[in-house]
Structure formats: C-alpha cells, structure tokens
Amino acid sequence: MTLVLLDTNAYLRLAKRVRPAVGIKFGQKNYVLTIHKSVEDEVHRNPRLRAIYPWFDGKEFADERLAKQVRLSDEEKATIEAAKSVLHGWVLAGPEVYTWGGRSPPSATDCWLLALGQVKPGIVVTDDLGMHALADAFGIAVWHGFELLDKLRSAKVVDQPLIREIYEALEANGDLPKTWQEAKHTTFVKVFGAKAG
C-alpha cells in the first residue's frame, strides 16, 4: 500500500467531485488517497478558503476526512518533526530558490507534509512548485494534482466527463494552475483534444 497525501489545494481541487475523495484505493501499486489533519487546520485558519469552498465543512466531507485521516504514532510524529526541521531550515537558508514568479517559499506546514511523505513513506500531491523543488532536492516523491487525476483516470475512478467538469470548475473559480493548463492538451489530449495553433 502506498499513501498518496493530498495537500490543502489538491484536496480542495478534487474532493468535491471525486467521491469518495479520501480512503479510496486505486492502481496496481495499491495507492490510497489520504489526508492529514494539517489540511483541516489550514482551511479553518483561512477565511478566504472557507468562503471559496463552503462545502468543506459539510457533514459528508468532514466525516470522511475524520474517518480516513493518517494516524501517527508518537515515534513517527517525532521523526516527522525532525525531518520537517531539516526541510524548513533548508528553505530558510536559501528562500530565493523558491520565490521566483512572486511565489512564497514552502511554509513550515508544507515542510511538515513533505516530511510526512518522506517518513511514512508516501507521495505528496501538490501544485506548489516550490514544494516540488524542495522535494526534488531531498528525493521525496511528489505529484502534481493533474498527475493524480490522470492516475485516477487510468484506474477508472474518474472518466472523461468528470475530468472536463473538474477543469470547468477550476477555471470558473480562477484556480487552474499553469501545470494543469499545460496538461489539458498533453496528458488529457484524449479528453480535450490537441492545442489549436
């Protein structure tokens, strides 16, 4: 079994339409979509996210997250905390590597999630390019959200109409990352067709 750890944005982009979003097993490698309480905490601390995603605290979603959260032993928590300190220290020592294009460097919470992926081990799903750069530096497995969507398609968890619906919703919310835009006519060429021009 391989844990697939959704960061906050990956969860928010997929969970409303991919049902159930957490706890499903898929693929030949027995991937399991999962979430940690830090995602819940991040949304609850952010009034903007709560306003954009009012469904987040709906009973069905809250119950699913609670039932399927990653549970950690005290030893795992200590190991993750130590790994997070190393990752965050690395970011603080050279934040300019992560701030191109007006981005913020990976936060302590981002580093904690990457550390969780390193310790468990698991694959962290994030569209944050700074997190991808940090993960690459430490050999931590990461996917973009569209890569997860593609693997869900291969496993027949999602179909072409649902992929189109997810893209339309993200476009309507102004929440379609550049990587997803590029994937539209490469990874999902069978869904959307080739790029014109």
Side-chain angles (χ1 to χ4, degrees):
M1 178 177 90
T2 304
L3 290 182
V4 177
L5 302 156
L6 301 172
D7 85 342
T8 303
N9 286 327
Y11 177 81
L12 292 173
R13 286 182 181 126
L14 295 173
K16 188 175 180 189
R17 288 169 184 82
V18 178
R19 305 294 311 135
V22 182
I24 61 168
K25 294 181 173 69
F26 66 97
Q28 294 173 332
K29 294 192 177 174
N30 249 348
Y31 295 120
V32 181
L33 279 187
T34 190
I35 193 167
H36 186 264
K37 188 178 180 302
S38 57
V39 168
E40 193 116 358
D41 295 343
E42 189 169 2
V43 174
H44 288 150
R45 280 195 312 266
N46 189 320
R48 188 182 141 271
L49 289 179
R50 286 203 317 274
I52 297 171
Y53 303 99
W55 54 266
F56 183 83
D57 281 321
K59 184 169 171 35
E60 173 192 359
F61 296 97
D63 288 351
E64 177 185 283
R65 288 193 306 271
L66 186 62
K68 304 294 183 181
Q69 270 180 10
V70 180
R71 307 270 187 242
L72 300 169
S73 68
D74 288 344
E75 187 180 339
E76 285 172 325
K77 286 176 187 171
T79 306
I80 291 164
E81 198 56 43
K84 180 206 92 169
S85 294
V86 171
L87 292 169
H88 202 227
W90 181 270
V91 171
L92 295 175
E96 62 284 347
V97 174
Y98 307 100
T99 54
W100 34 267
R103 292 182 179 82
S104 300
S107 67
T109 302
D110 295 334
C111 292
W112 193 93
L113 190 63
L114 288 172
L116 174 60
Q118 190 176 36
V119 169
K120 274 311 272 183
I123 299 162
V124 177
V125 182
T126 179
D127 292 308
D128 181 323
L129 298 179
M131 285 177 72
H132 277 262
L134 181 59
D136 288 348
F138 283 85
I140 300 167
V142 283
W143 290 343
H144 290 280
F146 77 83
E147 291 176 284
L148 170 58
L149 191 58
D150 186 42
K151 290 181 189 314
L152 291 170
R153 176 186 63 170
S154 297
K156 300 194 176 7
V157 175
V158 300
D159 58 12
Q160 290 189 9
L162 185 56
I163 291 170
R164 277 192 290 273
E165 186 184 321
I166 289 167
Y167 262 85
E168 285 164 12
L170 294 179
E171 283 172 343
N173 285 341
D175 187 30
L176 193 65
K178 193 168 190 292
T179 51
W180 284 67
Q181 292 170 29
E182 291 163 358
K184 195 172 180 180
H185 301 291
T186 54
T187 305
F188 298 118
V189 71
K190 288 182 177 164
V191 181
F192 296 103
K195 196 171 188 175

